[in-house]
Amino acid sequence: QVQLVESGGGLVQAGGSLRLSCAASGIIQSINNMGWYRQAPGKDRELVATIYSRGSTNYADSVKGRFAISRDNSRNTVYLQMNSLKPEDTAVYFCNAVLIRTVSDSYNVYWGQGTQVTVSS
């Protein structure tokens, strides 16, 4: 079984910073891309940032220049450094990973349980 566990969420004032972490554990052969999504109340889940196995990244326009995604392949962990936070960044943040469990497996998407980020004005 594969598990993704997020940590680092919390309450912060506007302009502040938070760093989210997400560690994947279990039987994992290879991880392709890892990413962060968020879902605010009453809204659809949206992509925040993605990082691929060789380090290339992709960001939502709303977070470019403020957020930075990184990963530690040796620890199957992805990070999201969030700076200059705004009240509109308030949401539950989910990490995901596209990975294979064995050499004969096909790539599947796994999700974490989510961590709440609240930015007060």
Side-chain angles (χ1 to χ4, degrees):
Q1 190 76 351
V2 173
Q3 276 194 314
L4 272 65
V5 179
E6 299 112 333
S7 61
L11 172 65
V12 64
Q13 288 188 331
S17 298
L18 283 175
R19 187 186 192 219
L20 305 182
S21 300
C22 173
S25 63
I27 300 174
I28 298 171
Q29 174 67 28
S30 175
I31 301 178
N32 187 3
N33 49 299
M34 303 183 80
W36 290 94
Y37 288 69
R38 66 187 181 187
Q39 187 166 18
K43 295 189 176 182
D44 293 334
R45 190 174 296 188
E46 63 175 2
L47 172 69
V48 176
T50 301
I51 185 166
Y52 294 88
S53 58
R54 295 187 179 184
S56 60
T57 58
N58 181 45
Y59 293 93
D61 288 343
S62 59
V63 306
K64 283 180 181 177
R66 300 188 297 122
F67 290 11
I69 189 170
S70 60
R71 65 190 279 178
D72 183 340
N73 291 330
S74 67
R75 299 185 177 187
N76 290 336
T77 300
V78 62
Y79 306 95
L80 186 68
Q81 178 66 43
M82 305 186 293
N83 300 323
S84 302
L85 282 160
K86 304 175 181 180
E88 51 264 44
D89 294 318
T90 295
V92 178
Y93 283 69
F94 299 89
C95 73
N96 80 346
V98 179
L99 59 87
I100 53 173
R101 298 178 62 193
T102 66
V103 293
S104 60
D105 199 5
S106 56
Y107 280 97
N108 286 291
V109 182
Y110 294 83
W111 291 90
Q113 80 287 353
T115 185
Q116 177 70 46
V117 171
T118 303
V119 184
S120 63
S121 57

